[in-house]
Amino acid sequence: MAVSARPIAPAASLSTRSAPVVRIQVTVNGSPISAEVEPRTLLVHFLREVVGLTGTHIGCDTSHCGACTVHLDGKPVKSCTVLAVQANGRQVRTVEGLEVDGKLSAVQEAFVEAHGLQCGFCTPGMMMTATALLARNPNPTEPEVRDAIRGNLCRCTGYVNIVKAIQLAGKKMQANPTGPGGSP
Amino acid sequence: MSAEAPHVKGGLGQSILRKEDARFIRGKGNYVDDIKLPGMLYLDITRSPYAHAKITAIRTEKALKVPGVLAVITGKDLAAANLAWMPTLMSDKQMVLPTDTVMYQAQEVAAVVADSRYAAADGAAAVEVDYEPLPVVTNPFKALEPGAPVIRTDRKEQSNHIWHWETGDKAGTEEAFRSAEVVVGQDLYIPRIHVSSMETCGCIAHMDSVSGRFTIYMTTQAPHAIRTVYALVTGLPEQNIRVVSPDIGGGFGGKVPVYPGYVLASVASIKTGHPVKWVEDRSENLQADSFARDYHIHAEVAARKDGTVTALKVKTLADHGYTDAAANPSKFPAGLFHIITGSYPFAKAFVEVDAAYTNKPPGGIAYRCSFRVTEAVYTIERMMDILAHRLKVDPAELRLKNFIPPDAFPYKSALGWTYDSGNYAGALKKAMEIIDYAGLRREQAEKRRRGELMGIGISSFTEIVGAGPSHTFDILGLKMFDSAEVRIHPTGKVIARFGTKSQGQGHETTYAQILAEELGIPADDIRVEEGDTDTAPYGLGTYASRSTPTAGAAASMAARKIREKAKKIAAHLLEVSPDDIEWKDYAFRVKGVPTKSKTMQDVAFAAYTNHPQGTEAGLEAVDYYDPPNMTYPFGSYICVVDIDKETGQVKVRRFVAVDDCGTIINPMIVDGQIHGGLTMGFAPALLEEIQYDENGNIHGGSFMEYLVPTAVETPHWETAKTVTPSPHHPIGAKGVGESATVGAPPAIANAVVDALQPYGVEHIDIPIHPWKVWQIIHAGAPKTG
Ligand code: FES
Ligand code: FES
């Protein structure tokens, strides 16, 4: 088979060597990360491939699924719809930042206890949205929870147990307001 | 240590929390796209904008100039290696890349390999292709008309007709229809839909040119079958092929087939000597990966005036796209569609299916059901409602009158299936009680008087899952058994490996529970592994709700083999004859002296430190389980809808699901499976559909238009159970992953049609979106009576 091949340069994970790059500094889960990226680099690719945090997932190409949800300065954003350069100088929190000092956040605990996940693919984004919801409304009703997660698709669970998990997490956070995951 | 307690920790029937969750909630799952190998390259695909066209030229120069792009692969390159076409599971063939003609929109045309993800995408966009459009056929009826453009000119038949399949007693059925007191008939179309697992498909292929070892990390539901197919198609020696299915972000049947992208990444790795990653976008996933359904059905039911059903006749046209790449057992081109007699004792039945090619992507995979069972259940459950409507009897009453009675099992259906066990009336009565059926009918009558639209829909489904007995079921000749290999370590801890592969079902937990029950070892001490063909015993994988019926059974059987051997060791330790030992309350006990006992852990330690002379050391077993029959889960669902007359919007107010999946391993997980299945039944009933215009342009090719339900539309599901164990499964379990996807659509459709009875409506094709409902409401004044 005649495949045209050229010598292979050391693999750059994202940017092509000759493209212009920008240096950015982003604080990810409390640690400052400095890197050069192409201006077009999506935040989700920066997190997954440059920082190496693969808990943030990609489930679509139209900003619908929410699998990529992270917190940017405390607010949930779809990291597939944010450029890495837009995160320059800002704080990003990912699913890997929910557990603090080996202690799971209330949302993480509740997702396990209420069986709020099956394949686990939507789970990181879902938990980030849930964490942001509970930070502003610790005691949401079922319709409030459903409305808050409308930008996060789950194909496995049918949402019933996700709703339960989020309400359970709210209760846990109220019982222990200083626990991890309590604040964004 | 004695084991007096009647339960083992984590045994059957306990809602223990899932073992797999620990990694998923920390973002530490290991899905294909999370894997990064040293020197890894990326592959992206150039796709056709046309549904049917001649390729007159492919120019790769610009693509090769994109910084970072290393290679472009075209159909001509593949043809030189005899790889331009690959076999499908149904004895048809499918293009990896076209050499001269594209046959659906978004078909793969060229592959670009680059040293970064973005460079590969740039390269794919820079490949220049010249097309000469050809006439397009997207309607299967038109495809079969004389003079229709032939899509597959490579076939000697020179026709778009693929096959005809029929089963049942044709003459007897015709006779029953001639003498019938009542006949109802209906056309039903079940449109194309897509599984849309949240993780798309992808792989990393790696050919180590020094060792000749080929490893592929792949989003597959059936790693062993893939290994063998790769060996047969490529000629690579099978011991050098390793297929690893890591964490899978949902499968639902969409990760059974081999897609061109997997093959292209493999070819690219073989050629470059580097690992090559291919991960598709969501739009590629929706536009090019296997679809489900697309059945045009005509069904007729014959009955007596009192409502007793007598015969069923079904004629179907199946739209397969440009190739028959359905994922069915080899003997069944229309899957298990002939479970269509459902929960009712039809004396006569006849089913025929014809399949046609169209300019659409191939498929015919499951969408969370066992081989066309959803199509069958939807048809029969809609027909029962149409019959009830025609006879002016209550649909619950009609079902209760007709159900196969509990004492008729094992029951042989008119189309040849032997149902293992069932209590259909039990499930329906329970659902009616929970939802207060009589009360709802009173409320509905009241609302109708006020002109409000409320509907109640029932579905009493029977599934057929757990493929399958090897005399009947194979895929490409590979018999559909499954396997478990169980090893007990000296300290009484267990590792167990299986031929199946979880995609979210929770096998790491539920298999451990089966073993806990059989071995008397806590589930926490049992580690379950799947998905690596180097270590797992051979199996056909996870789809069609077959894991619990096959590999789950193998777990029991392997554990029982271990118990046989362990008994001898226990006898040795207790200094009695093995005949004097019984396994009772999770320990080996001296008959008549139950306090003299040894646990499995005691025996395990002895198996490595103090085994009796004349027996082999160690404590392990493997079982390849060939089920004696399929399992037949069933249930009854009742749905209540309210319809907004102004907008046509259907709101599911309540939905009660009573399921019977036999013995329940983990009630929490079973409920989770039902919730998910119900949502994937709700979706095609009201929202999801992939359509094509006459030029073959896809509508529904991204999440902009393909409406996967969010938490806002999805109803709050209510679940309940009855338990009728399977008599032939070692623990009586039947499988549960798909029941709800199968059972839900007709319950919802029946409820909407019931709500619209004042307008004289007897049927509406799914998905029932507001526009369809609004047109009915606004077409004329309600008919009375
Ligand atoms: S990946 Fe789907 S919304 Fe970001
Ligand atoms: S758990 Fe699988 S998509 Fe949500």
Side-chain angles (χ1 to χ4, degrees), chain A residues 44 57-69 77-81 151 153, chain B residues 198 282 703:
Chain A
V44 68
H57 297 150
I58 302 169
C60 74
D61 45 11
T62 51
S63 304
H64 280 85
C65 77
C68 61
T69 308
V77 294
K78 291 181 171 175
S79 63
C80 70
T81 317
L153 296 177
Chain B
M198 278 301 121
R282 171 62 56 194
F703 278 168

Side-chain angles (χ1 to χ4, degrees), chain B residues 724-771:
Chain B
T724 311
S726 168
H728 65 76
H729 185 279
I731 61 165
K734 288 188 169 185
V736 73
E738 300 162 337
S739 299
T741 317
V742 167
I748 296 168
N750 286 345
V752 177
V753 172
D754 183 54
L756 295 172
Q757 281 216 357
Y759 301 91
V761 175
E762 221 166 49
H763 177 72
I764 310 170
D765 277 333
I766 55 173
I768 307 176
H769 46 68
W771 173 229

Side-chain angles (χ1 to χ4, degrees), chain B residues 667-688:
Chain B
M668 175 191 84
I669 288 180
V670 165
D671 263 343
Q673 291 293 305
I674 303 284
H675 293 157
L678 289 169
T679 307
M680 288 184 79
F682 168 79
L686 295 183
L687 298 166
E688 292 175 10

Side-chain angles (χ1 to χ4, degrees), chain A residues 1-19 38 40-43 45-46 48-50 52-62 64-65 67 95-99 102 104 107-109 111-124 127 142-143 145-161 163-164, chain B residues 17-18 20-21 24-29 31 33-34 36 39-42 60 64-73 77-78 80-81 115-119 122 194-200 248-250 252 267 271-272 274 281-284 367-368 503-505 668-669 671-673 675-677 679-680 683 688 702-704 706 708-717:
Chain A
M1 193 181 81
V3 169
S4 359
R6 293 198 266 145
I8 292 162
S13 71
L14 270 180
S15 60
T16 52
R17 287 147 313 283
S18 61
E38 273 187 69
R40 63 174 172 171
T41 304
L42 299 175
L43 179 57
H45 286 138
F46 172 76
R48 290 179 52 82
E49 304 196 5
V50 179
L53 295 174
T54 55
T56 303
H57 297 150
I58 302 169
C60 74
D61 45 11
T62 51
H64 280 85
C65 77
V95 62
E96 289 92 343
L98 288 180
E99 186 178 9
L104 294 177
V107 169
Q108 288 173 303
E109 278 180 9
F111 266 68
V112 177
E113 289 165 16
H115 189 28
L117 65 149
Q118 291 182 23
C119 78
F121 201 78
C122 72
T123 311
M127 292 194 305
E142 174 165 349
V145 174
R146 286 180 180 266
D147 192 62
I149 60 171
R150 70 189 308 161
N152 292 79
L153 296 177
C154 174
R155 199 54 156 167
C156 302
T157 65
Y159 302 107
V160 174
N161 288 344
V163 173
K164 277 191 199 148
Chain B
L17 301 182
R18 299 199 326 163
E20 36 277 268
D21 290 357
F24 295 143
I25 51 149
R26 289 175 171 87
K28 299 287 188 210
Y31 304 90
D33 200 15
D34 301 342
K36 198 170 179 177
M40 189 169 79
L41 306 176
Y42 297 79
T60 61
L64 283 164
K65 286 210 185 81
V66 171
V69 168
L70 302 155
V72 180
I73 304 171
D77 300 326
L78 294 180
D115 64 4
S116 80
R117 191 184 292 264
Y118 285 19
D122 288 346
H194 200 286
V195 298
S196 304
S197 51
M198 278 301 121
E199 179 202 34
T200 60
I248 300 290
F252 314 117
V267 169
K271 286 295 148 188
T272 61
H274 282 248
D281 296 340
R282 171 62 56 194
S283 304
E284 295 180 290
Y367 191 103
R368 199 171 182 156
Q503 309 122 37
Q505 295 90 337
M668 175 191 84
I669 288 180
D671 263 343
Q673 291 293 305
H675 293 157
T679 307
M680 288 184 79
E688 292 175 10
S702 81
F703 278 168
M704 304 286 290
Y706 192 73
V708 169
T710 75
V712 173
E713 303 87 52
T714 304
H716 181 99
W717 308 113

